[in-house]
Amino acid sequence: MQSLQTLALGTAPTDIEKAAQILSDGGLVAFPTETVYGLGGDARNDLAVARIFDAKGRPRFNPLIIHLPTLGAARQFAQFTDTAERLAAAFWPGPLTLVLPLKQGHGLSPLVTADLSTVAIRVPAHRVAQAVLTAFGGPVAAPSANLSGKISPTSAAHVAAGLTGRIDAIVDGGDCAVGLESTIIGLDGAPTLLRAGGVPAEAIEACLGHTLQRGGDGPKPNAPGQLASHYAPGAKVRLNASGKEKGEVLLGFGPCEGADLNLSPAGDLVEAAANLFGHLHRLDALNADTIAVSPIPETGLGRAINDRLRRAAAPRPCP
């Protein structure tokens, strides 16, 4: 692909307007959300959306999430059921994505939905994301701002390391607070957990008053983040490690002797989620053969952390 000059933007009003103008012109802008940095393009522009897939090296069958500043704006593109309205009222703005039937006349590029009859929508809470989306005034398709399958970015430096020369601009809004991608709930049938993420499934089930069905393991993704090998560092990943072996570095959790980095010495899953991708980036830079990871509880945000780690440890597809 053609090499681009990637602009470094801040969060001043003039920078936000510049980012919005680049999006309006069909360009690609990385910007922070509370979860991870997203790589944004106009979701109505076929060429802009195609450039997202090209910049990331992302397979075209993997759908994208569109980002909007308000629930009202989201209603223009999807059919909202009573259940969708209840979840949006409870968790938007925030790290929750809803997969909903497309509304007639939506105007989105078919590349966004991978030709499915549904669309994934999120209203992010991050003030910079909100500013960019409001200034742009339309739907922004924005997967994580990294090369496909690699560790997700939680800082502008992570984005720059992977996508400089491939995108038009990066808005530096500091580190992401949540540090895990959004939870994805499918609502084109019974409410279904398609991807664990920044909102624990328990909180969603408490809001709905019943348990969620589990999905997302079919042969073709119906939402982002479902590929078996994903979020992967260059090193191999060994899970549920009681310590490190020769040639390994150790990513600890809770009280853990000999950890090279610790997600949360206190065993706090919120802190661990916020640190996960940043710590993986730092350990991967040490060029060890393997990153060993201490056991993580399979509760609350631990489910989302373990989901990312299992995909990071999965066998890599042949290049």
Side-chain angles (χ1 to χ4, degrees):
M1 64 178 292
Q2 181 183 359
S3 181
L4 301 172
Q5 180 182 359
T6 302
L7 298 177
L9 300 176
T11 59
T14 52
D15 291 319
I16 298 299
E17 289 299 326
K18 178 64 175 177
Q21 187 59 56
I22 291 171
L23 290 170
S24 295
D25 292 340
L28 303 185
V29 177
F31 60 91
T33 77
E34 67 275 20
T35 57
V36 300
Y37 271 70
L39 176 56
D42 185 346
R44 302 159 298 191
N45 183 324
D46 289 336
L47 181 57
V49 178
R51 288 188 60 204
I52 292 174
F53 284 95
D54 189 39
K56 285 177 59 68
R58 182 184 179 98
R60 297 288 177 95
F61 60 77
N62 199 1
L64 304 177
I65 296 171
I66 65 167
H67 293 66
L68 292 152
T70 66
L71 171 57
R75 291 192 187 108
Q76 299 175 46
F77 300 96
Q79 301 172 39
F80 275 75
T81 62
D82 290 344
T83 299
E85 292 281 353
R86 188 187 319 163
L87 291 177
F91 299 107
W92 278 359
L96 177 68
T97 293
L98 302 178
V99 177
L100 300 162
L102 281 161
K103 197 168 188 177
Q104 189 170 3
H106 53 80
L108 298 172
S109 169
L111 292 171
V112 169
T113 62
D115 290 319
L116 298 170
S117 61
T118 55
V119 61
I121 300 184
R122 184 161 88 90
V123 176
H126 197 289
R127 65 176 183 83
V128 176
Q130 279 284 325
V132 170
L133 293 170
T134 300
F136 174 62
V140 173
S144 57
N146 58 295
L147 294 174
S148 185
K150 299 300 183 182
I151 306 170
S152 297
T154 54
S155 71
H158 294 160
V159 180
L163 296 180
T164 293
R166 303 174 74 90
I167 64 176
D168 297 284
I170 301 169
V171 179
D172 187 348
D175 292 346
C176 301
V178 175
L180 287 173
E181 292 85 355
S182 59
T183 302
I184 301 181
I185 302 297
L187 293 175
D188 56 330
T192 301
L193 179 66
L194 299 178
R195 180 179 74 182
V199 178
E202 293 91 335
I204 296 169
E205 290 172 337
C207 177
L208 295 177
H210 59 78
T211 58
L212 293 163
Q213 293 189 12
R214 264 50 178 181
D217 294 322
K220 183 178 178 181
N222 57 354
Q226 296 178 350
L227 298 181
S229 178
H230 208 35
Y231 316 108
K236 296 178 182 178
V237 176
R238 183 170 67 88
L239 304 180
N240 299 313
S242 58
K244 60 182 175 182
E245 300 174 357
K246 185 178 180 181
E248 294 185 336
V249 290
L250 177 61
L251 180 59
F253 176 80
C256 180
E257 292 185 8
D260 295 271
L261 287 174
N262 197 314
L263 291 170
S264 174
D268 184 333
L269 290 171
V270 174
E271 180 184 20
N275 284 333
L276 178 62
F277 290 135
H279 281 14
L280 284 175
H281 277 286
R282 289 173 63 187
L283 290 176
D284 201 33
L286 299 178
N287 295 317
D289 294 332
T290 301
I291 299 172
V293 185
S294 296
I296 310 291
E298 191 72 25
T299 58
L301 285 177
R303 289 195 178 92
I305 295 170
N306 282 322
D307 170 78
R308 305 309 188 271
L309 289 170
R310 283 190 290 267
R311 295 179 196 274
R316 314 290 167 82
C318 295

